[in-house]
């Protein structure tokens, strides 16, 4: 099928601090034969402001996002959290645009990378190998907001998470079983600074759980959570690594 | 008043204890998961519960009147109280009229909310909490740290010390069975001597006038049947239309609260026992205002199960007392804000917005969404604080203009790459206190991508990449 115009939405911190995640996304999409554009004018979706309660500030950035991406048929983003921001919360920020076709289109056509692969490109399995013990970190906004996984507190028998399905198709991969399957890592955006002590405490608990389960690498679709966890891992000089799922899949596919 | 962040940091100083607290509550959360999973249509049940609440509260006057008439027809005396003060006054008057000086009281979050115990004590009435955990708290002179498990923050050895001091158990006794037996003997005396019983209410059935109370210890049943005077206190939101609605709520309540299929005792009180005087005090205390707020009305659906506390990663690691409001955790946050936005302004920020609270809530309150909406109310009221506001304003300015954003990113990367890491990974920076900053890359994604696209174009122009895709 023809996808039309695909716009790549790269979150601000990936652009500025984790270009390797952005580039892995680029290479992966290229390998899958998706042609896309990266609109250079983009900056940030406004989540830090929104998350802190500064809706007016966030609305300015949301408006900018709408202007930049409204003409794309699909918007793809390697972050569950930033995708969730657009899909779930823009309606609270862009009240005046809420009923417009542009707005409705953007909100219904913005996809996190894994869901774009599965739901739109209909990728069922990945032909590649990743012979490592992986701790799958199901970041909250993607897990509950976008339904990328099956939250452990919900009763949804028979469902398997999308991200898990993708990862499990890789040869040699072992997704370890942790004590708590999807507890928050404690990052929480500006929470990580406003409540730094609690944030770090929760993060260390998460890391210990992955460690005890025998994980070599923690994989997530949100590098913001990973930035927090990696900061703790490096401070404590632990051997664990963190990788964004785009890096894993791109690296696994030849 | 200390902020949640400071109180939580103090709580976490005792690391081993904090882990114990987290684990004790996680255990309850896991029990809840298993129990929820035993009901195949669990998610549909939550949906139904919300629909019933929505209907009942949208028609509140009608159902309250129906409840009042039916309860009165069964011999109960019904009172209405606009706020906490009126509620306390009414209860005191009832007690005074019967000259009741000793009250056997069952757990009631409403009475905590109204400060009933303190008020009665000030007016010469002795109030004995008869729920074991509540009694522990009362003897220790503390307030509950959880709405269902009020003494969850106290360990059994500490209970032993409290009982040794107040009930004369042996020093060093920490065996739960023996401690419980001692409490039972002690409470039995109080039950027999009490001149009045007071309890909260879980559900008030409009159709029948029944007051439904769920407990695990049967203490409410002794309290409402032994004394000749019994007072039930309830918030207006407790009313449900029909008996059959209990088939929805009773299946949800205990499973969500403690991971039990049902509470040990579920008592349906249809009027006073012969020879007894029964009063029902129905309290608003801000509830009808909550119901009028478009973005926040669902907070009034809460059935006080405490599931959102047990699942909250922040609550489990900061303890109930760090929240300052009488009801802690996620639901406490979205209730406290209606009381006093300024006083409780830091509560909405005590959340990672992980959304697990919303996912466990048996009546599907959009808790985490309300929390972020409350943050906005705090900001709009000017209570965020100057430093935080300024930082976010600056960030917005930088992000609005792509050039500024690029320059800002470049500067930060350059700076962090050239400085030795101890400059930023230290105690003085909030991030760096316990975490390392990410290693800064040489260039941004957009720069790398530009180079990448250019080399690709060059490749295809030179004919080397004719197939286009690999």
């Amino acid at each position: 099928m023809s996808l039309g115009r695909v716009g790549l939405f790269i979150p601000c911190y990936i652009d500025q601090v984790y270009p390797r995640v952005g580039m892995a996304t680029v290479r992966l999409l290229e390998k899958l034969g998706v042609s896309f554009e990266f609109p250079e004018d983009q900056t940030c979706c406004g989540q830090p402001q929104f998350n802190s309660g500064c809706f007016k500030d966030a609305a300015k950035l949301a408006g900018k996002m709408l202007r930049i991406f409204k003409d794309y048929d699909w918007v793809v983003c390697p972050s569950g959290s930033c995708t969730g921001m657009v899909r779930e919360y823009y309606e609270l920020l862009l009240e005046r645009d809420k009923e417009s076709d542009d707005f409705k289109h953007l909100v219904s056509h913005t996809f996190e990378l894994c869901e774009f692969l599965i739901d739109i490109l209909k990728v069922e399995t990945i032909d590649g190998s990743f012979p490592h013990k992986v701790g799958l970190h199901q970041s909250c906004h993607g897990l509950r907001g976008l339904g990328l996984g099956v939250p452990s507190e919900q009763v949804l028998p028979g469902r398997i998470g999308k991200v898990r399905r993708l990862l499990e198709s890789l040869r040699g991969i072992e997704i370890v079983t942790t004590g708590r399957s999807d507890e928050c890592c404690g990052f929480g955006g500006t929470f990580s600074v406003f409540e730094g002590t609690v944030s770090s405490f929760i993060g260390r608990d998460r890391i210990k759980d992955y460690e005890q389960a025998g994980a070599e690498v923690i994989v997530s679709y949100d590098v913001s959570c990973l930035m927090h966890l990696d900061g703790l891992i490096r401070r404590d000089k632990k051997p664990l690594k963190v990788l964004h799922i785009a890096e894993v899949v791109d690296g696994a596919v030849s | 008043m200390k902020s949640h962040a400071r109180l939580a940091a103090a709580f976490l100083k005792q690391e081993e204890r904090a882990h114990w607290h987290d684990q004790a509550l996680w255990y309850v959360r896991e029990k809840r998961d298993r129990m929820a999973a035993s009901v195949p249509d669990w998610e549909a049940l939550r949906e139904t519960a919300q629909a019933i609440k929505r209907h009942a509260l949208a028609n509140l006057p009608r159902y309250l009147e129906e409840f009042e008439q039916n309860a009165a027809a069964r011999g109960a005396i019904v009172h209405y109280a606009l706020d906490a003060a009126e509620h306390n006054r009414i209860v005191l008057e009832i007690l005074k009229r019967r000259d009741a000086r000793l009250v056997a009281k069952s757990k009631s979050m409403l009475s905590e909310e109204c400060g009933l115990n303190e008020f009665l004590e000030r007016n010469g009435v002795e109030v004995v909490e008869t729920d074991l955990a509540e009694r522990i708290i009362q003897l220790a002179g503390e307030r509950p740290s959880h709405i269902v498990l009020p003494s969850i923050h106290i360990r059994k050895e500490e209970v032993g010390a409290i009982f040794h001091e107040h009930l004369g158990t042996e020093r060093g006794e920490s065996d739960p069975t023996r401690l419980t037996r001692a409490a039972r003997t002690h409470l039995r005396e109080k039950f027999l001597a009490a001149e009045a019983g007071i309890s909260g209410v879980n559900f008030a059935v409009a159709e029948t006038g029944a007051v439904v109370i769920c407990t695990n210890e049967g203490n409410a049943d002794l309290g409402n049947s032994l004394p000749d005077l019994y007072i039930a206190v309830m918030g207006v939101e407790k009313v449900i239309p029909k008996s059959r609605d209990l088939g929805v709520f009773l299946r949800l309540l205990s499973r969500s609260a403690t991971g039990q299929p049902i509470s040990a005792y579920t008592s349906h009180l249809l009027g006073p026992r012969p020879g007894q005087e029964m009063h029902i005090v129905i309290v608003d205390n801000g509830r009808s205002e909550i119901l009028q707020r478009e973005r926040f009305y669902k907070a009034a659906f809460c059935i006080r199960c405490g599931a959102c506390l047990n699942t909250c990663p922040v609550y489990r690691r900061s303890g109930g007392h760090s929240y300052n409001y009488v009801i802690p955790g996620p639901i406490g946050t979205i209730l406290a804000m209606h009381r006093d936005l300024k006083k409780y302004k830091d509560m909405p920020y005590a959340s990672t917005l992980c959304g697990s609270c919303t996912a466990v809530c048996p009546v599907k309150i959009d808790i985490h969404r309300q929390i972020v909406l409350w943050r906005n109310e705090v900001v709009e009221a000017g209570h965020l604080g100057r430093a935080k506001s300024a930082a976010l304003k600056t960030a917005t300015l930088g992000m609005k203009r792509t050039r500024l954003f690029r320059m800002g990113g470049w500067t930060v990367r350059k700076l962090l790459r050239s400085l030795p890491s101890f400059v930023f990974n230290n105690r003085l920076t909030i991030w760096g206190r316990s975490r390392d900053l990410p290693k800064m890359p040489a260039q941004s994604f957009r720069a790398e991508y530009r180079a990448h696209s250019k080399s690709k174009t060059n490749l295809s122009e030179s004919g080397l990449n004719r197939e286009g895709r690999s």
Side-chain angles (χ1 to χ4, degrees):
Chain A
M1 86 183 194
S2 166
L3 286 169
R5 280 180 86 191
V6 177
L8 183 60
F9 158 28
I10 294 290
C12 54
Y13 60 94
I14 293 187
D15 180 19
Q16 296 299 318
V17 184
Y18 289 96
R20 59 182 167 92
V21 173
M23 289 310 295
T25 307
V26 164
R27 285 190 301 269
L28 179 60
L29 288 174
E30 285 174 355
K31 284 173 187 173
L32 291 165
V34 178
S35 51
F36 58 88
E37 295 161 45
F38 171 73
E40 286 250 347
D41 206 23
Q42 62 179 293
T43 55
C44 170
C45 65
Q47 185 168 197
Q49 287 80 358
F50 171 78
N51 179 304
S52 310
C54 303
F55 285 17
K56 282 182 189 151
D57 289 320
K60 292 175 189 159
L61 298 169
K64 186 176 161 88
M65 282 284 290
L66 178 61
R67 276 198 305 282
I68 294 171
F69 282 105
K70 67 181 166 48
D71 295 325
Y72 288 91
D73 294 287
W74 304 94
V75 179
V76 185
C77 171
S79 159
S81 194
C82 301
T83 304
M85 179 67 211
V86 175
R87 278 223 307 249
E88 275 189 87
Y89 294 119
Y90 268 17
E91 62 165 34
L92 295 173
L93 301 177
L94 301 175
E95 298 231 349
R96 252 181 294 156
D97 299 290
K98 220 163 74 178
E99 299 304 320
S100 75
D101 291 342
D102 283 347
F103 178 86
K104 287 181 190 161
H105 177 79
L106 176 72
V107 167
S108 56
H109 288 75
T110 300
F111 281 77
E112 183 277 333
L113 178 65
C114 296
E115 2 166 59
F116 186 70
L117 259 56
I118 292 176
D119 294 341
I120 309 304
L121 300 182
K122 306 290 177 198
V123 171
E124 294 289 330
T125 54
I126 304 279
D127 184 20
S129 88
F130 191 74
H132 297 284
K133 288 186 168 180
V134 166
L136 169 56
H137 185 66
Q138 313 204 63
S139 302
C140 303
H141 295 169
L143 174 68
R144 300 193 184 86
L146 304 180
L148 296 180
V150 187
S152 58
E153 65 270 333
Q154 295 219 267
V155 183
L156 304 165
R159 266 209 230 170
I160 306 170
K162 292 176 189 175
V163 179
R164 181 175 286 273
R165 247 163 55 203
L166 267 192
L167 278 179
E168 275 176 347
S169 71
L170 292 169
R171 284 186 300 278
I173 197 170
E174 185 192 329
I175 300 178
V176 299
T177 306
T178 47
R180 301 182 185 184
S181 61
D182 52 17
E183 198 186 18
C184 176
C185 70
F187 171 66
T190 44
F191 175 83
S192 64
V193 179
F194 292 178
E195 292 245 15
T197 313
V198 183
S199 171
S200 298
F201 202 94
I202 302 174
R204 287 202 160 89
D205 281 356
R206 223 43 242 120
I207 291 165
K208 200 155 97 196
D209 199 358
Y210 287 119
E211 249 185 331
Q212 283 172 348
E216 303 161 50
V217 52
I218 302 175
V219 175
S220 171
Y221 41 79
D222 263 312
V223 77
S224 49
C225 303
L226 293 178
M227 172 174 76
H228 163 68
L229 292 174
D230 191 45
L232 294 163
I233 288 169
R234 286 192 291 125
R235 175 61 55 90
D236 299 344
K237 303 197 169 31
K238 301 211 176 223
L240 270 168
K241 295 268 172 283
V242 301
L243 282 175
H244 187 274
I245 188 156
E247 298 177 279
V248 172
V249 178
D250 170 54
V253 180
S254 52
Chain B
M1 203 170 77
K2 283 184 184 163
S3 70
H4 178 272
R6 284 184 63 183
L7 291 167
F11 179 86
L12 293 174
K13 277 224 169 84
Q14 287 182 280
E15 211 173 302
E16 189 270 336
R17 192 187 180 95
H19 281 301
W20 164 79
H21 187 264
D22 165 58
Q23 196 51 50
L25 287 153
W26 183 260
Y27 172 75
V28 183
R29 151 77 210 264
E30 284 190 313
K31 261 176 81 186
R32 172 252 169 231
D33 290 351
R34 283 196 295 276
M35 263 309 141
S38 73
V39 180
D41 52 357
W42 179 258
E43 302 301 334
L45 204 59
R46 292 171 67 220
E47 202 71 62
T48 311
Q50 191 190 63
I52 296 171
K53 277 285 177 190
R54 188 188 293 276
H55 169 79
L57 296 177
N59 298 279
L60 193 54
R62 175 178 132 207
Y63 286 120
L64 280 177
E65 271 173 37
E66 190 184 341
F67 171 74
E68 178 198 339
Q69 279 164 14
N70 287 324
R74 292 181 187 274
I77 302 158
V78 180
H79 311 255
Y80 288 97
L82 188 62
D83 55 20
E86 192 176 5
H87 160 265
N88 292 348
R89 210 163 48 235
I90 290 171
V91 172
L92 180 66
E93 268 167 29
I94 298 169
L95 293 172
K96 271 194 166 161
R97 214 176 303 130
R98 303 271 307 208
D99 200 25
R101 307 259 171 114
L102 178 63
V103 173
K105 183 163 164 287
S106 302
K107 201 173 152 21
S108 153
M109 282 316 294
L110 174 69
S111 69
E112 298 282 348
E113 176 187 320
C114 296
L116 178 67
N117 287 14
E118 299 77 4
F119 176 81
L120 292 180
E121 301 272 350
R122 272 203 307 278
N123 286 282
V125 179
E126 186 190 349
V127 183
V128 177
E129 290 287 352
T130 59
D131 173 275
L132 177 54
E134 285 285 353
R135 186 62 179 148
I136 294 168
I137 294 292
Q138 193 182 30
L139 292 174
E142 294 189 21
R143 59 185 180 88
S145 70
H146 188 291
I147 61 175
V148 173
L149 314 159
S151 65
I152 189 71
H153 63 290
I154 300 181
R155 298 174 114 159
K156 59 178 195 259
E157 293 77 14
E158 293 160 337
V159 174
I162 295 165
F163 280 15
H164 171 69
E165 188 190 337
H166 295 277
L167 308 184
T169 53
E170 266 181 56
R171 185 182 291 280
E173 180 63 84
S174 67
D175 177 65
T177 310
R178 280 198 286 273
L179 289 174
T180 308
R181 267 188 208 135
R184 192 186 165 108
T185 310
H186 158 75
L187 286 172
R188 195 55 60 115
E189 287 166 20
K190 298 289 181 187
F191 277 124
L192 291 170
E195 291 138 336
I198 298 181
S199 84
V201 170
N202 289 98
F203 306 98
V205 184
E207 177 183 44
T208 60
V211 161
V212 180
I213 302 165
C214 307
T215 71
N216 274 329
E217 297 167 22
N219 57 313
D221 304 272
L222 287 176
N224 64 39
S225 55
L226 285 177
D228 287 335
L229 175 63
Y230 166 58
I231 307 168
V233 297
M234 57 175 265
V236 289
E237 85 286 7
K238 297 291 183 197
V239 72
I240 54 172
K242 300 203 176 297
S243 289
R244 66 159 195 238
D245 299 332
L246 289 168
V248 174
F249 289 109
L250 292 178
R251 277 199 285 166
L252 287 166
L253 178 63
S254 301
R255 286 185 171 88
S256 299
T258 51
Q260 295 167 270
I262 195 160
S263 46
Y265 299 87
T266 302
S267 309
H268 304 244
L269 302 183
L270 292 148
R273 68 157 164 76
Q276 189 188 46
E277 189 177 307
M278 176 178 173
H279 295 261
I280 302 171
V281 185
I282 303 175
V283 189
D284 186 307
N285 204 30
R287 285 161 177 74
S288 48
E289 277 162 48
I290 296 179
L291 284 168
Q292 285 169 47
R293 302 178 83 159
E294 198 190 335
R295 290 179 161 187
F296 301 113
Y297 70 94
K298 280 188 219 152
F301 292 7
C302 176
I303 58 171
R304 304 290 190 270
C305 72
C308 61
L309 277 59
N310 304 338
T311 201
C312 178
V314 178
Y315 171 82
R316 272 187 271 109
R317 294 178 185 82
S318 57
H321 293 157
S322 64
Y323 290 82
N324 289 314
Y325 185 56
V326 56
I327 300 178
I331 185 64
T333 299
I334 64 171
L335 290 171
M337 301 310 282
H338 293 280
R339 284 256 167 267
D340 192 334
L341 181 81
K342 192 174 174 195
K343 186 173 175 192
Y344 302 115
K345 63 180 190 298
D346 56 318
M347 279 178 78
Y349 291 92
S351 166
T352 64
L353 303 178
C354 78
S356 189
C357 45
T358 303
V360 295
C361 178
V363 289
K364 295 189 82 163
I365 302 170
D366 49 351
I367 305 177
H368 74 293
R369 197 179 170 95
Q370 289 197 23
I371 290 177
V372 82
L373 287 167
W374 277 115
R375 290 184 184 180
N376 183 230
E377 301 283 327
V378 170
V379 167
E380 290 301 319
H383 300 316
L384 179 60
R386 229 176 280 166
K388 288 173 187 170
S389 301
L392 287 157
K393 277 257 178 305
T394 313
T396 312
L397 273 176
M399 284 161 171
K400 255 172 62 189
R401 302 197 194 289
T402 313
R403 248 176 73 86
L404 273 179
F405 171 73
R406 274 168 33 213
M407 276 161 48
W410 182 86
T411 314
V412 170
R413 277 198 311 278
K414 233 4 185 206
L415 205 65
L416 292 182
R417 275 168 70 86
S418 57
L419 291 171
S421 68
F422 68 80
V423 177
F424 41 87
N425 288 331
N426 65 37
R427 292 194 54 80
L428 297 175
T429 65
I430 302 170
W431 179 274
R433 199 168 293 163
S434 55
R435 289 162 289 210
D436 281 10
L437 269 177
K439 290 200 176 103
M440 289 296 145
Q443 53 180 358
S444 66
F445 164 79
R446 60 186 68 223
E448 263 192 63
Y449 179 68
R450 214 174 292 142
H452 170 85
S453 313
K454 218 169 164 187
S455 71
K456 246 181 46 179
T457 328
N458 289 344
L459 273 177
S460 57
E461 275 169 6
S462 65
L464 286 172
N465 193 24
R466 203 161 288 150
E467 278 145 43
R469 293 162 188 169
S470 56

